[in-house]
Amino acid sequence: MSIAELVPSWRRDNPELNGAHIMGTSLRDRKYRLRAQEDGLDVSAILRGRGIEDTEAFLKASLKDLPDPSTLVDMDLASARLADAIERKERILVFGDYDVDGACSSAIMTRFIRMVGHDCAAYIPDRAEDGYGPSKPAFEKCRPEDYDLVIFVDCGTASREILDPLEPDVIVVDHHKQQGDLPFVHACVNPHRDDDESDLGMMCAAGLAFLLAVATRRTLRARGFFANGEPDLRALLDLAALATVSDVVPLVGVSRILVACGLEVMKAGPSTGVAALMAVAGVEEPSAGRIGFGLGPRINAAGRVGGGSMSEEGALGFELLVCPDPGRAGEIAARLNALNAERQSVEKTVLEQAMDQAAEQAARGARIVCVASEDWHQGVIGIVAGRLREKFGVPAIVGAIVDGKVKGSGRSVPGFDLGSVIIEANRRGILEGGGGHAMACGLSCKLDGWRDFVSFANDRAIWSEQDVAVDCRKGALDVFIEDIEALERMEPMGQGNPAPVVAFDRFKVKMAKTFGKGHVRLLTDRSDMEAIFWRAEDEGLVDGLMGLQGREVVVLGVPGINEWQGRRKVSINASDVIF
C-alpha cells in the first residue's frame, strides 16, 4: 500500500492528515492540517501558508520600525515624571517580579537610570514570602514610602487597593489584563488597559520598559539634558530579547523587532551578565530557541528555588543582569546554573506525582486538569502545568498547598482564554486572588474552596479543538542541509512565529534506537538524516516507535542541523509519525 493510500489527506481537496499515527496512542488524538499549496521548504511559501502576504516586510526587522512610545496611554506622563526624577536626583525605587520578564524589565529600568548618570534602588519579591506583585510583606521590606518615585514593572495593574494609599508618585509598566478599575497612580502604561488603542498587546513588560527608556531619553534630549552625549539604548536590547522569548509572547510586530535586534546585540557584544549566562549555558550562537531553553530557565531558577532581594543570596537573576563586573557575573551565573539543576530535580519529583493525579482526571473526561498537593514546591508548578497540558492536550492548573491555601499556576491550550476564567472566578469571590492572560494564569484559593473552583473551571473549559498545522511537505530523500539553512531567514522563531513543521514523506525507518533518558532516534537509509523523539519514554511511545523498523512512514517534525565532530546531518525534532 502506498503512502498516498495510507494518508489520503495529502490530496489537495482535503488537507487534513489522517491515518494511524504514533501520538494516537496517548490520551489525546491529533488532527493535522496542511497549510502549504505546494511541496517544498521555501520560506515565502511557508509564510504565505500562514496568511502572511508581504513576506519581505515580515522578515525585515529594524529599530526604525519601532512604534512611537507615545501611542501607549500614559507613556508621556511616565517619561516626563521619570525625566523629572533623573534631573532632580530624586530617590527612585524599581519594584519588579521574580520571573525572567520581571528581572529583565527591572534591569532595563535600573541600567537606563544609571546610563543617564543617576541611580536607583530595586526590589524583587520573594515568591514564597511576598507572593506576586505589590504586597504588604514586600512593602515592609523595601519601604516604598522612603522614595520620591516608585516604578512597578511587570506588575501593579490589578493592585489598586495597595497602590492607591502610597505617598510617593507611582509609575506602573505592565502587560497583564486589567481587572476592574486601574490604580490611581501618576501613570499606568499597559497596552491591555481598556482605553489603550496602541495595538501593542503582544509586548512583554521588558519591551514596554525599553519603550519607556526610549521615551524618557527623548524627553531628556528635548530639555537639553545631554551635554556630553546620549546613552546608546541598543545595549539594553539583549535584555528585551531575553524577556520577550522567555515570556512566550508572540514574535510578531514590535516583539519580533526587539528579539531580532537583541539577538544581534548578543552576537556582537552582549552585556556582562548575559555573556556570563551564555557561557555557563554553553550558548555560542544565540537564537530565540537557545534563549528559551538555555538562558531563560537559569534566570527563572533564581525566582523558583532561589530568593528575593532580601534573601541571603539576593535576587540573583536581577543581580546578574545589572552586574558590570565579569568576575562577579561569572560567579552569579555559576550559582544560577546550580539552582537550575536543583529546579530540574524538584520539578521531576513534582511532575511524577502530578501526572498520576492528572491521568485520573483525564480518564474521567475532565476538560481541564486541576491538581494540588502540600508536598509540591511553588517554584515549579508553572513548568509542571505546561507539561501536563502537553501530555493531555487540555488546560492544566497545578497548585502548591501552603498554610491552608492553594497557590496555583496554569497553562492553557489555543482557543481557550484561561486568564479570563481566573479573573471571573476572582471577581465572584471563588478565588482569593488571581489573573493572567489567555495562555497562562496565577491564582490563590482557600483550600476549602478548591473543589468549588475546580467545578467552576470545568464548567467553563469549553473551546473548539484546533488542528495541528503542518507548514509543508517534502520527500525525505529530497531534503538537504542547504534547505534547512535557508529556513533560518525566519528567525527569530517562537510563539506567534513557530519553527516550521514539515511532513517528511517516504521516510524508511532503517533502525530505531533508544538513547539517553528515554529518547528514541529513527535512522533512515541516509547517513546524514535522523528523526529524534525526545522524552519518548515519558509519552509511552518507545514500543510503537521501535516497531516501525523496516516501514516507510511520514515523519512530522521541525528540521534542524546537528553538527558533531565536524559532521553535519539533518536532524528532525519529531512530533509524530503517520504510518
Side-chain angles (χ1 to χ4, degrees):
M1 182 177 293
S2 69
I3 288 295
E5 293 173 305
L6 283 170
V7 193
S9 54
W10 284 134
R11 296 196 307 267
R12 290 293 178 258
D13 59 340
N14 181 13
E16 182 183 340
L17 312 183
N18 299 312
H21 53 99
I22 289 294
M23 287 304 297
T25 62
S26 70
L27 292 179
R28 63 182 175 181
D29 205 10
R30 294 179 172 185
K31 294 182 179 179
Y32 295 99
R33 174 172 49 85
L34 184 64
R35 284 172 166 159
Q37 295 302 307
E38 64 270 1
D39 295 348
L41 298 182
D42 180 70
V43 169
S44 295
I46 290 171
L47 292 178
R48 286 195 298 270
R50 296 179 177 185
I52 300 170
E53 293 303 324
D54 192 346
T55 59
E56 290 305 314
F58 178 84
L59 294 172
K60 182 183 68 172
S62 170
L63 289 178
K64 295 179 181 179
D65 296 322
L66 284 178
D68 185 337
S70 296
T71 59
L72 287 150
V73 173
D74 277 6
M75 178 60 85
D76 290 342
L77 286 172
S79 61
R81 183 62 188 90
L82 178 53
D84 289 342
I86 291 168
E87 285 187 308
R88 299 169 188 166
K89 299 294 184 180
E90 292 181 346
R91 299 165 299 174
I92 304 173
L93 171 67
V94 175
F95 186 108
D97 186 29
Y98 38 68
D99 68 357
V100 180
D101 193 19
C104 288
S105 50
S106 300
I108 286 173
M109 283 286 90
T110 299
R111 285 176 51 187
F112 169 72
I113 292 168
R114 293 175 179 174
M115 289 165 77
V116 296
H118 191 34
D119 205 354
C120 64
Y123 184 80
I124 304 295
D126 186 289
R127 182 188 292 266
E129 296 181 2
D130 301 333
Y132 165 76
S135 67
K136 290 182 179 179
F139 283 5
E140 288 174 359
K141 300 172 185 175
C142 67
R143 296 184 60 82
E145 64 271 15
D146 292 342
Y147 298 87
D148 302 301
L149 175 65
V150 184
I151 305 173
F152 292 90
V153 289
D154 200 26
C155 60
T157 299
S159 304
R160 180 182 181 185
E161 184 176 322
I162 194 167
L163 293 189
D164 282 3
L166 287 182
E167 294 183 5
D169 285 343
V170 169
I171 294 173
V172 170
V173 181
D174 195 9
H175 70 134
H176 294 93
K177 285 188 174 182
Q178 179 177 342
Q179 300 184 41
D181 293 335
L182 293 171
F184 189 71
V185 296
H186 187 86
C188 180
V189 178
N190 187 333
H192 290 292
R193 55 184 286 176
D194 295 341
D195 59 347
D196 189 280
E197 298 180 356
S198 64
D199 196 29
L200 297 178
M202 80 294 291
M203 297 187 70
C204 67
L208 296 168
F210 180 79
L211 291 186
L212 176 55
V214 171
T216 305
R217 183 183 64 172
R218 181 174 62 187
T219 300
L220 290 169
R221 178 195 304 139
R223 297 179 183 182
F225 179 81
F226 298 113
N228 300 312
E230 299 180 3
D232 187 350
L233 301 188
R234 287 177 296 182
L236 303 174
L237 284 170
D238 55 355
L239 302 186
L242 173 57
T244 300
V245 171
S246 300
D247 218 49
V248 201
V249 297
L251 298 185
V252 297
V254 182
S255 294
R256 178 176 175 80
I257 293 172
L258 292 175
V259 173
C261 295
L263 286 171
E264 291 304 314
V265 171
M266 286 187 187
K267 294 173 183 176
S271 56
T272 303
V274 173
L277 195 64
M278 290 170 60
V280 298
V283 175
E284 296 180 359
E285 291 293 328
S287 66
R290 294 185 183 100
I291 289 176
F293 289 102
L295 306 188
R298 287 169 169 80
I299 295 292
N300 255 335
R304 295 189 183 281
V305 294
S309 291
M310 296 299 181
S311 66
E312 183 177 349
E313 289 188 307
L316 292 180
F318 166 79
E319 294 296 338
L320 175 68
L321 299 178
V322 298
C323 181
D325 177 64
R328 175 58 181 154
E331 294 173 358
I332 298 175
R335 177 60 181 145
L336 286 173
N337 199 45
L339 285 174
N340 190 52
E342 180 182 337
R343 186 270 307 169
Q344 291 173 326
S345 176
V346 172
E347 176 194 332
K348 184 175 185 295
T349 300
V350 175
L351 179 61
E352 291 173 352
Q353 298 174 8
M355 278 288 185
D356 291 339
Q357 288 191 34
E360 293 179 4
Q361 295 180 20
R364 295 196 301 267
R367 294 189 294 268
I368 180 171
V369 294
C370 301
V371 299
S373 171
E374 60 186 10
D375 298 326
W376 297 346
H377 194 295
Q378 292 182 56
V380 301
I381 56 177
I383 301 174
V384 172
R387 292 289 301 277
L388 296 184
R389 175 198 57 194
E390 292 174 8
K391 174 67 176 179
F392 301 108
V394 298
I397 295 175
V398 179
I401 301 173
V402 181
D403 298 329
K405 296 180 181 180
V406 179
K407 303 288 187 178
S409 184
R411 299 293 183 268
S412 193
V413 296
F416 179 59
D417 189 341
L418 180 58
S420 293
V421 172
I422 300 305
I423 291 171
E424 182 185 356
N426 187 34
R427 182 178 60 81
R428 294 190 179 205
I430 299 172
L431 296 173
E432 282 198 329
H437 49 79
M439 297 301 291
C441 74
L443 61 89
S444 176
C445 179
K446 290 182 179 178
L447 184 56
D448 58 12
W450 177 247
R451 186 185 298 272
D452 290 338
F453 166 71
V454 172
S455 177
F456 175 87
N458 265 282
D459 288 344
R460 284 154 181 77
I462 300 173
W463 70 96
S464 298
E465 294 282 353
Q466 297 190 8
D467 296 344
V468 179
V470 178
D471 287 287
C472 57
R473 61 178 292 195
K474 185 76 172 179
L477 297 177
D478 303 321
V479 178
F480 301 98
I481 289 176
E482 293 76 12
D483 299 317
I484 310 305
E485 289 176 328
L487 297 178
E488 294 177 1
R489 290 184 63 210
M490 293 179 63
E491 285 283 4
M493 291 182 277
Q495 182 72 19
N497 181 42
V501 177
V502 180
F504 292 91
D505 283 353
R506 303 183 301 280
F507 188 106
K508 186 170 182 179
V509 182
K510 181 178 182 180
M511 184 179 298
K513 301 169 62 176
T514 59
F515 71 100
K517 297 181 180 180
H519 315 307
V520 172
R521 176 182 284 111
L522 301 183
L523 302 177
T524 185
D525 291 329
R526 291 178 51 176
S527 61
D528 63 343
M529 174 174 280
E530 64 183 5
I532 297 179
F533 278 82
W534 301 103
R535 301 200 307 264
E537 186 174 338
D538 292 345
E539 295 284 358
L541 304 178
V542 173
D543 290 343
L545 291 170
M546 299 299 289
L548 294 177
Q549 290 189 158
R551 303 190 66 169
E552 188 173 271
V553 301
V554 178
V555 174
L556 303 182
V558 175
I561 299 173
N562 179 18
E563 187 166 351
W564 176 251
Q565 295 182 340
R567 296 182 59 193
R568 307 174 81 203
K569 65 172 63 175
V570 176
S571 184
I572 305 166
N573 185 354
S575 56
D576 208 343
V577 170
I578 300 176
F579 56 94

